[in-house]
Amino acid sequence: MNLRNKSLFTFLLASLLFFFASGFTVIGHRGDPIKAPEETFQSFNTAFSEGADYVELDLHVSKDNVLVVSHDKNLERITGTPYVVSQHNFSELSQLTQKNGEPVHSLDEVFAHYKNNPNAKFLIETKKTSKGNPQNMEELLKTCVDKYGMQKRVMFHSFSTKSLQNEAELMPDIPRIFIAGTIKRVNFEVLSYVTGVNLSSKIITPEIINTLHYMGKSVYIWDEMNESPKKWNTVINMPIDGVVTNYPATGNEYRNLKDKSKSQTINQNVYYMSNKDEPIYENPYRLIKTDKSVHPLDGFHITNIVKFNDKEYVQLGENKFANSEGFNPDYELSELRPYFGAKAIYRSQQPNNYLYAEPKKSSQIIDWMDTNKAEQIQTVEKNGGNTWIKLSGGWIQAKYVLIQLVDENYLGNNSKLSYHSLPVTQRFRNIDLLETEKSWEPVQNKQLHNTILIRKLQKSIAPFVFDIENDSINHI
């Protein structure tokens, strides 16, 4: 499809099949450690009840080769007893309890407890030393997974590349995720035996995610999230595959919002053609305003279109979104600019005067224009090959009204200069000549007159793109 021949939003409407759902997997970090002691059945159950798809747990190996569920190798923090897992048999470790009275569990006990609950899934972290000890951890893990038939209900992740290599050899069909606190640790060798990467939210960027996705790798984010919307507003804007969080309820809430949206990647220079400032939001789901706005005739490069709650939003930059109304491709600028600042009037000889809720819903009539009453054009938008203008009562196709050009500066534009700068073959014909010519002083030397017009137009309304990150204007 040639975007030069059709408007941006016509293209989007025709391409709805390419919109994709943009949700992510929610993983409760050690269950829900805020509401229950970590890595207990109570913590896991709480996380699952709050909408977590998986719960994360950690493994160490006891003296008698039992996989023990604990983040720390020393159990003092969670039980009050300074037992090191590798120095005690599980029969001793299982006598220790957490604050809720639950004992320290083995992985075997966890799988047995949730065996008949197919919705209970686990992201398992293998804890190993820098030398790769204990050496038999992955073999013990395979035995336990096979015993309970959990192959489809587990994923593995680890800081240990040796552990991930062992898992790739022993259990190649189970997803393996490399945990990295720095992008420097992610290299081609590691990516050859893992299916995904789990990165700190402090280093993740959309560019890193897109690169890893291009290489066929899933991307998860880990962070000890707080309930601040600010944190989640930025995380959910990125095309992540999952998040490991201490707040699974919050993760599920934001995931559900994002699940209701459809997103499409698109790279296009656009201009905003409306006479009012438009707020810029951190995301299209909560509509929390930033301290920036879109101004009339601002130019941007948009990267995504997000459809949410029956509205469309354009992404103007990282964590910057605006309502899509009034945005048009840069190649439509010269054609649409004559309408900006002009007025529209309906004469009785025109086909109809119906006003619509929006151009994309041209069957929904909400009002009609008064006859012989000129109205200021508020917004201009190209849709379906037709030019639509927004008036105080709604939208109407520009071809159904007469346009009164204005020979004065209006928010950085002169509609009459814009009109006469177009080649004659590109000018629309529905001009309200009586009103327009009242303020148009004839010039005898037509060639000189046109030259002055064009130079004046080029000087005053040269195309630009507004760099929202730096509050600067870039010429294109």
Side-chain angles (χ1 to χ4, degrees):
M1 179 179 292
N2 187 346
L3 286 181
R4 296 288 170 177
N5 297 328
K6 294 190 177 182
S7 75
L8 171 65
F9 297 106
T10 302
F11 169 76
L12 293 176
L13 287 173
S15 306
L16 287 177
L17 291 176
F18 295 99
F19 274 102
F20 54 88
S22 44
F24 51 86
T25 299
V26 176
I27 303 167
H29 183 226
R30 309 181 204 175
D32 184 331
I34 307 302
K35 297 181 180 178
E38 65 186 54
E39 300 188 310
T40 60
F41 294 155
Q42 181 186 6
S43 181
F44 295 157
N45 291 341
T46 301
F48 287 134
S49 70
E50 293 171 335
D53 304 290
Y54 287 76
V55 295
E56 190 256 6
L57 58 82
D58 307 273
L59 295 181
H60 291 275
V61 178
S62 69
K63 184 178 179 180
D64 56 346
N65 291 320
V66 174
L67 291 172
V68 179
V69 177
S70 173
H71 177 271
D72 302 346
K73 63 181 181 180
N74 188 320
L75 301 180
E76 182 174 16
R77 179 178 63 86
I78 61 171
T79 68
T81 301
Y83 279 11
V84 176
V85 173
S86 62
Q87 298 174 2
H88 294 267
N89 292 333
F90 184 68
S91 59
E92 297 177 85
L93 302 175
S94 63
Q95 300 303 308
L96 306 180
T97 59
Q98 295 208 49
K99 291 181 179 180
N100 65 347
E102 278 193 50
V104 173
H105 296 300
S106 67
L107 182 64
D108 191 282
E109 290 174 339
V110 171
F111 282 175
H113 184 82
Y114 291 101
K115 179 181 179 180
N116 295 323
N117 179 0
N119 294 322
K121 300 178 181 179
F122 303 91
L123 175 63
I124 299 170
E125 180 177 347
T126 49
K127 295 286 191 179
K128 294 172 76 87
T129 67
S130 58
K131 295 182 179 180
N133 294 317
Q135 299 289 332
N136 64 341
M137 176 176 275
E138 292 74 36
E139 292 179 356
L140 294 172
L141 180 55
K142 174 176 169 52
T143 299
C144 195
V145 168
D146 290 345
K147 177 180 178 181
Y148 291 95
M150 300 293 284
Q151 291 86 351
K152 302 295 184 181
R153 292 169 54 185
V154 295
M155 298 190 295
F156 305 141
H157 73 160
S158 184
F159 286 96
S160 169
T161 56
K162 181 60 178 176
S163 183
L164 293 165
Q165 284 179 294
N166 291 341
E167 289 163 351
E169 293 176 4
L170 294 170
M171 297 165 280
D173 294 332
I174 295 177
R176 301 167 304 280
I177 303 166
F178 178 52
I179 309 173
T182 170
I183 197 64
K184 293 179 180 179
R185 294 199 68 204
V186 181
N187 53 51
F188 287 110
E189 181 183 0
V190 172
L191 293 176
S192 69
Y193 52 80
V194 300
T195 60
V197 178
N198 191 1
L199 299 173
S200 166
S201 65
K202 296 178 181 179
I203 64 172
I204 198 75
T205 66
E207 291 74 23
I208 290 174
I209 296 173
N210 290 335
T211 299
L212 288 168
H213 279 170
Y214 180 79
M215 299 174 71
K217 307 301 177 182
S218 57
V219 181
Y220 295 79
I221 292 180
W222 59 269
D223 194 305
E224 294 190 5
M225 300 288 186
N226 55 41
E227 297 289 356
S228 169
K230 185 71 175 178
K231 189 74 171 181
W232 282 100
N233 286 344
T234 57
V235 167
I236 63 173
N237 287 334
M238 293 184 280
I240 57 175
D241 297 291
V243 61
V244 182
T245 174
N246 283 348
Y247 295 86
T250 302
N252 184 51
E253 177 186 358
Y254 277 81
R255 185 260 304 277
N256 288 341
L257 289 173
K258 196 169 185 181
D259 272 344
K260 295 176 182 178
S261 72
K262 301 292 182 180
S263 178
Q264 184 189 24
T265 300
I266 186 167
N267 290 300
Q268 174 69 59
N269 291 333
V270 297
Y271 285 86
Y272 178 63
M273 304 198 73
S274 183
N275 63 0
K276 65 173 184 177
D277 290 349
E278 173 67 22
I280 293 177
Y281 305 101
E282 291 186 344
N283 67 55
Y285 317 108
R286 288 296 191 193
L287 297 183
I288 298 173
K289 295 180 181 179
T290 68
D291 59 356
K292 298 182 182 297
S293 298
V294 178
H295 307 295
L297 295 182
D298 275 355
F300 298 92
H301 182 82
I302 64 171
T303 56
N304 290 287
I305 301 288
V306 179
K307 189 173 184 179
F308 180 71
N309 280 350
D310 206 30
K311 290 187 178 295
E312 287 182 0
Y313 299 87
V314 291
Q315 183 168 5
L316 308 174
E318 189 171 347
N319 306 318
K320 295 178 176 65
F321 297 81
N323 192 305
S324 67
E325 183 177 288
F327 284 91
N328 294 277
D330 56 350
Y331 54 80
E332 303 281 10
L333 180 64
S334 59
E335 178 184 341
L336 298 181
R337 202 152 192 168
Y339 296 101
F340 194 77
K343 296 180 179 181
I345 190 167
Y346 173 73
R347 305 294 191 190
S348 57
Q349 67 270 24
Q350 298 298 105
N352 71 66
N353 61 341
Y354 299 141
L355 296 173
Y356 300 87
E358 56 180 281
K360 300 177 184 67
K361 295 181 178 179
S362 55
S363 61
Q364 186 178 346
I365 299 172
I366 59 173
D367 206 345
W368 56 86
M369 284 186 68
D370 292 333
T371 304
N372 299 326
K373 181 181 178 181
E375 291 193 50
Q376 180 71 55
I377 295 174
Q378 298 180 2
T379 307
V380 186
E381 188 174 299
K382 198 72 174 289
N383 183 268
N386 296 309
T387 299
W388 288 76
I389 56 176
K390 186 177 184 181
L391 307 173
S392 59
W395 290 85
I396 189 170
Q397 286 193 40
K399 64 185 179 182
Y400 293 147
V401 297
L402 297 179
I403 304 299
Q404 295 180 354
L405 301 174
V406 178
D407 188 23
E408 60 185 32
N409 185 285
Y410 179 82
L411 298 175
N413 186 61
N414 183 306
S415 66
K416 188 169 291 185
L417 285 175
S418 299
Y419 178 79
H420 285 278
S421 70
L422 289 172
V424 174
T425 56
Q426 294 182 18
R427 299 174 188 173
F428 49 81
R429 299 289 182 259
N430 54 321
I431 297 292
D432 189 2
L433 294 174
L434 294 178
E435 288 298 321
T436 298
E437 293 305 318
K438 286 181 180 179
S439 61
W440 185 249
E441 182 178 348
V443 178
Q444 298 300 320
N445 190 330
K446 186 175 182 180
Q447 182 177 3
L448 175 62
H449 173 59
N450 287 340
T451 300
I452 293 172
L453 282 175
I454 292 172
R455 288 178 178 174
K456 185 176 180 182
L457 180 67
Q458 291 174 337
K459 182 178 180 180
S460 63
I461 58 174
F464 61 86
V465 170
F466 183 74
D467 184 350
I468 196 167
E469 301 291 344
N470 302 307
D471 287 338
S472 63
I473 292 176
N474 299 323
H475 288 272
I476 59 174

